[in-house]
Amino acid sequence: MTAIDALIVNRQVKLKPGDTIGILGGGQLGRMLAMAAARLGLRCQVFSPDPDSPAFDVVLNAACAEYADVEALELFANDVDVITYEFENVPAAAALILAARRPVLPNRKILETTQDRLAEKDFVKRLGIGTADYADVSSPATLRAAISRIGLPAVIKTRRFGYDGKGQAMIREGDNTDHIWEELGTKSAILEAFIPFEREISVIAARSASGEVECFDVTENEHRDHILKISRAPAAISDALAAQARDVAGKIATALDYVGVLAVEMFVLVDDTGPKILVNEIAPRVHNSGHWTLDGASISQFEQHIRAIAGWPLGKPVRHGPVTMTNLIGDEILEYEQWLTVPGATVHLYGKGPPRPGRKMGHVTLVEGKRAKTS
Ligand code: AMP
């Protein structure tokens, strides 16, 4: 790195309208980030290897290249003022090349923790925050040892690249664990105790470079086939538990020295001592369970992220009422015309190609107060 590069990288980001944000990843999250940036007078350039990236449709400049293409990464970096990402599996080498040229926010070092389930769980545990009991597993023998410590049922997950239930399996009493290990097809995994949770919740938190933290109201999430189907805000939990959940997210954001929006997925477990919160996963990015904020709050998660990485003041989000967000997955997108006629519904279609099973194609938001007024 030259002295000039070092100056660029270390300067505090302070964008002005007309400046350009580089977004790594061209999915619906990148698309909605770019749309939020445009509303604030900021431009975006999207970098993605997929020529059909839905985010390409909403920006003037797109870089369609592999993450291993050093020249393309350098050109991209030179064209933008700050770089962010919409997915957590940004290759470390690409992040390093970019970070030598422009500020990358959230800091690429955070990816080392959040790309690896074991590192992530260790990090959360070190903060004194509860998680499911877990163990490092790297062979059939270590899996057997982990089971005898943690017990069954349990969930085995690959340490890296798992999403929407991929790269994980339930292990129950009597299962052939050698076979399950083989099917998982990895050398590094973690075993987690199965949590008989009462509900799943998440907190979308934003943190600015100056350390200010703003959390959205806690969201309650319902999955189908391991994919998020419905989010509701606020979650049906006590104010005290909600405050605790927001506190956990804030503590995580601060410990990571995070700049931008992150999501913390949690389980609510009720035991003899009452309800308690266990952290399941950290997503270092805007998150599907925060899509309700687009129509259900004064500021969306996308705008908060843009504000944070631009060095602008965070918004103080106010929710408009009880909100429900429903994902349109696979063929459900074919019902979009029906959704368009639902009073109070706001329909978001991501402009993706063919609706494959499990593919997130769009979502619909309903805010209760609004429905009452318009129907
Ligand atoms: P993950 O990929 O870790 O977010 O897991 C996907 C989904 O699997 C979660 O949203 C839960 O519904 C379920 N799940 C994951 N880990 C556990 C666990 N330890 N106990 C119970 N359910 C789990």
Side-chain angles (χ1 to χ4, degrees), residues 70-91:
V70 176
E71 200 185 334
L73 286 170
E74 287 174 351
L75 284 171
F76 169 74
N78 291 342
D79 260 3
V80 302
D81 298 291
V82 64
I83 295 166
T84 191
Y85 41 90
E86 59 124 47
F87 70 116
E88 54 271 53
N89 288 319
V90 173

Side-chain angles (χ1 to χ4, degrees), residues 50-207:
D50 178 4
D52 289 329
S53 292
F56 284 169
D57 292 347
V58 301
V59 294
L60 193 58
N61 291 310
C64 190
E66 296 299 325
Y67 293 112
D69 185 337
V70 176
E71 200 185 334
L73 286 170
E74 287 174 351
L75 284 171
F76 169 74
N78 291 342
D79 260 3
V80 302
D81 298 291
V82 64
I83 295 166
T84 191
Y85 41 90
E86 59 124 47
F87 70 116
E88 54 271 53
N89 288 319
V90 173
L96 188 65
I97 291 165
L98 295 170
R101 289 183 157 66
R102 289 292 181 272
V104 174
L105 294 173
N107 189 304
R108 69 188 173 84
K109 294 242 174 266
I110 286 160
L111 297 171
E112 288 166 17
T113 306
T114 56
Q115 282 179 350
D116 178 350
R117 287 186 192 271
L118 182 64
E120 184 174 284
K121 283 259 174 352
D122 286 345
F123 163 77
V124 172
K125 196 172 160 186
R126 274 200 305 277
L127 293 178
I129 297 168
T131 66
D133 268 348
Y134 64 95
D136 185 6
V137 173
S138 54
S139 65
T142 49
L143 175 56
R144 282 192 292 274
I147 289 172
S148 63
R149 181 166 80 72
I150 286 173
L152 291 178
V155 186
I156 188 156
K157 302 180 179 179
T158 56
R159 277 173 60 173
R160 290 174 179 275
F161 301 117
Y163 70 99
D164 288 345
K166 292 186 175 63
Q168 60 178 273
M170 271 286 280
I171 308 183
R172 297 179 179 83
E173 214 58 67
D175 281 347
N176 179 335
T177 58
D178 286 4
H179 180 67
I180 289 173
W181 177 253
E182 214 169 286
E183 286 280 291
L184 203 64
T186 183
K187 286 202 162 56
S188 50
I190 61 169
L191 186 76
E192 282 180 24
F194 176 79
I195 304 299
F197 55 78
E198 183 199 54
R199 62 189 82 230
E200 291 188 81
I201 59 170
S202 57
V203 177
I204 309 290
R207 186 170 177 275

